Amino acid sequence: MGVRPGDGRTVGSAAKPKTLALALGGGGARGLAHIAVIEALDELGVRPVAIAGTSVGAAVGAAYAAGMDGKAMRRLAIQVAHARSETIARLVTARAAAALFSAALANPMLLDARKLAAAFLPPEIPDDFAALKIPLTVLATDLYERCAVPFTAGGLRDAIAASMAVPGLVRPVEIGGKVLVDGGAVEPLPFRYLVGRADVILAVDVTGGTRGRPREIPDPWECLFTTLQIMGRAIVPDILIRPNLGAFRMLDFFRASAILRAADAVKPDVKQQVGKLLAS
């Protein structure tokens, strides 16, 4: 093998393929839109070398890292949404124990994060990060230190539970002496944990935007979740995909089919941008 004068390139050797890393943000039910992006990558034949996820993005990212493809995730999401009575029953079993709170402060709707994860995470997601096929970073927030807590090893399901612990809706999770809540409080789109780990970083923002959203006073959970996202927003990855999900709210999980249909519109854009940057 030789080197052409002046260009520094090796003659006779194939160029090393470029790599992709994937950041999946939080957004409640709107996070189901991540599935359409994963389907686009599946159709391109591209697999990320690293994934980072916050909140629902952590759950979808874990399923992807465990080996589930986009189509399998779509089938599961629609199945859960259509089995309304069963899904409500699962939510009831995931409620936090009222005995942990005083009668005056008890919230009958408060969910236990670990029970919620046990009830809804697919069985393909293992208990430990070490069993994943793709390295994954799950982001939670230390409630008292007010900082991000990235998990890359140890108990995977506990880390996902902590990352999805929306304050006021899901009880915080204690891990290693830290009281943890939803990662979106400080990292709504955790692409910075992927810097230097791949040639191209694709980030998916499912916060929804304003198109199609009625200008009305939001419910308390929507208001709280949107406030958290505003507090942590300063994102500039290589590729930023923002599906138009403004018509959907944080807790619209029973509208999974509609969310996925709306998200399908970004698939051509994902393929075009990812294909272009990986080939350049």
Side-chain angles (χ1 to χ4, degrees), residues 4 12 15 19 37 49 56 59 113 184 204 233 262:
R4 292 175 182 168
T19 55
V37 174
V49 297
V56 67
V204 187
R233 198 161 186 165

Side-chain angles (χ1 to χ4, degrees), residues 1-4 9-15:
M1 290 189 288
V3 177
R4 292 175 182 168
R9 291 178 294 177
T10 301
V11 177
S13 63

